[in-house]
Amino acid sequence: MASLIPLDSLVLIKSPRLPENTFGNVRYVGLVEGTAAQWVGVELELPLGTNDGTANVNGRRYFECKPKYGLFVRPWLVEVLEKENIDNAAIEKFK
Protein backbone atom coordinates (compact mmCIF):
# COMPACT_ATOMS: atom_id res chain seq x y z
CA MET A 1 0.00 0.00 0.00
CA ALA A 2 2.74 2.47 0.94
CA SER A 3 4.48 1.89 -2.39
CA LEU A 4 1.43 3.40 -4.11
CA ILE A 5 2.01 6.76 -2.41
CA PRO A 6 4.27 8.86 -4.65
CA LEU A 7 6.81 11.26 -3.18
CA ASP A 8 5.79 14.93 -3.39
CA SER A 9 2.13 14.02 -3.82
CA LEU A 10 -0.49 16.16 -2.13
CA VAL A 11 -2.31 14.19 0.55
CA LEU A 12 -5.18 14.58 2.96
CA ILE A 13 -4.37 13.28 6.44
CA LYS A 14 -7.29 11.28 7.85
CA SER A 15 -6.40 11.18 11.52
CA PRO A 16 -8.79 11.86 14.41
CA ARG A 17 -5.89 13.66 16.11
CA LEU A 18 -5.77 16.38 13.45
CA PRO A 19 -8.35 18.89 12.21
CA GLU A 20 -10.41 18.00 9.16
CA ASN A 21 -8.86 19.05 5.85
CA THR A 22 -5.27 18.73 7.04
CA PHE A 23 -3.13 18.65 3.91
CA GLY A 24 0.54 18.01 3.28
CA ASN A 25 3.11 16.80 0.79
CA VAL A 26 4.66 13.35 0.98
CA ARG A 27 8.40 13.61 1.67
CA TYR A 28 9.24 10.02 2.70
CA VAL A 29 7.72 6.57 2.25
CA GLY A 30 9.26 3.50 3.81
CA LEU A 31 10.54 1.87 6.94
CA VAL A 32 11.57 3.88 9.97
CA GLU A 33 14.52 2.31 11.78
CA GLY A 34 13.41 0.98 15.15
CA THR A 35 9.93 0.04 13.93
CA ALA A 36 8.65 -2.88 11.90
CA ALA A 37 6.19 -0.88 9.86
CA GLN A 38 5.86 1.26 6.76
CA TRP A 39 5.48 4.99 7.40
CA VAL A 40 4.67 8.05 5.34
CA GLY A 41 6.58 11.21 6.20
CA VAL A 42 4.46 14.27 5.44
CA GLU A 43 5.34 17.96 5.42
CA LEU A 44 2.13 19.63 6.60
CA GLU A 45 0.76 22.96 5.40
CA LEU A 46 0.31 24.15 9.00
CA PRO A 47 2.40 23.59 12.15
CA LEU A 48 0.26 20.69 13.37
CA GLY A 49 3.03 18.09 13.28
CA THR A 50 5.37 16.59 15.82
CA ASN A 51 8.76 17.00 14.19
CA ASP A 52 10.98 18.53 11.49
CA GLY A 53 11.37 15.31 9.50
CA THR A 54 13.30 13.59 12.29
CA ALA A 55 11.69 10.42 13.66
CA ASN A 56 11.07 10.56 17.39
CA VAL A 57 11.71 6.83 17.75
CA ASN A 58 15.35 6.92 16.61
CA GLY A 59 16.38 10.56 16.12
CA ARG A 60 17.17 9.98 12.43
CA ARG A 61 16.21 12.59 9.85
CA TYR A 62 14.16 11.20 6.97
CA PHE A 63 13.23 14.53 5.33
CA GLU A 64 13.58 18.24 6.07
CA CYS A 65 10.91 20.75 6.98
CA LYS A 66 10.28 23.45 9.56
CA PRO A 67 9.79 22.32 13.18
CA LYS A 68 6.21 21.17 13.90
CA TYR A 69 5.46 20.82 10.16
CA GLY A 70 6.58 17.17 9.95
CA LEU A 71 4.52 14.11 10.72
CA PHE A 72 4.95 10.36 10.28
CA VAL A 73 1.68 8.52 9.71
CA ARG A 74 0.67 5.04 8.68
CA PRO A 75 -0.19 4.66 4.97
CA TRP A 76 -3.90 4.08 5.53
CA LEU A 77 -4.18 7.54 7.12
CA VAL A 78 -3.27 9.38 3.91
CA GLU A 79 -5.40 9.93 0.85
CA VAL A 80 -3.49 10.92 -2.28
CA LEU A 81 -5.31 13.80 -3.93
CA GLU A 82 -5.50 14.80 -7.55
CA LYS A 83 -5.69 18.55 -8.01
CA GLU A 84 -8.93 18.24 -9.96
CA ASN A 85 -10.48 16.48 -6.94
CA ILE A 86 -9.75 19.30 -4.50
CA ASP A 87 -11.97 22.32 -4.29
CA ASN A 88 -10.30 25.57 -5.37
CA ALA A 89 -10.37 27.03 -1.86
CA ALA A 90 -8.34 24.10 -0.52
CA ILE A 91 -5.80 24.42 -3.34
CA GLU A 92 -5.39 28.16 -2.76
CA LYS A 93 -5.00 27.56 0.97
CA PHE A 94 -2.22 25.07 0.34
CA LYS A 95 -0.16 27.26 -2.05
Side-chain angles (χ1 to χ4, degrees), residues 26-56:
V26 174
R27 300 298 185 218
Y28 176 80
V29 178
L31 294 173
V32 171
E33 187 179 331
T35 71
Q38 292 283 319
W39 293 89
V40 179
V42 180
E43 181 179 1
L44 301 172
E45 66 175 18
L46 298 172
L48 301 171
T50 58
N51 60 61
D52 62 357
T54 302
N56 295 336

Side-chain angles (χ1 to χ4, degrees), residues 7 14 40 42 47 53 57 65 67 73 75 82 89 94:
L7 289 178
K14 301 180 292 184
V40 179
V42 180
V57 69
C65 65
V73 295
E82 301 292 332
F94 191 71

Side-chain angles (χ1 to χ4, degrees), residues 9-26 42-50 68-71 73 77-81 86 90 93-94:
S9 58
L10 179 63
V11 292
L12 173 66
I13 308 297
K14 301 180 292 184
S15 171
R17 296 180 180 177
L18 294 172
E20 282 188 48
N21 297 322
T22 298
F23 297 97
N25 282 312
V26 174
V42 180
E43 181 179 1
L44 301 172
E45 66 175 18
L46 298 172
L48 301 171
T50 58
K68 301 288 186 186
Y69 281 78
L71 186 68
V73 295
L77 293 176
V78 300
E79 178 182 340
V80 177
L81 301 173
I86 306 171
K93 179 181 171 190
F94 191 71

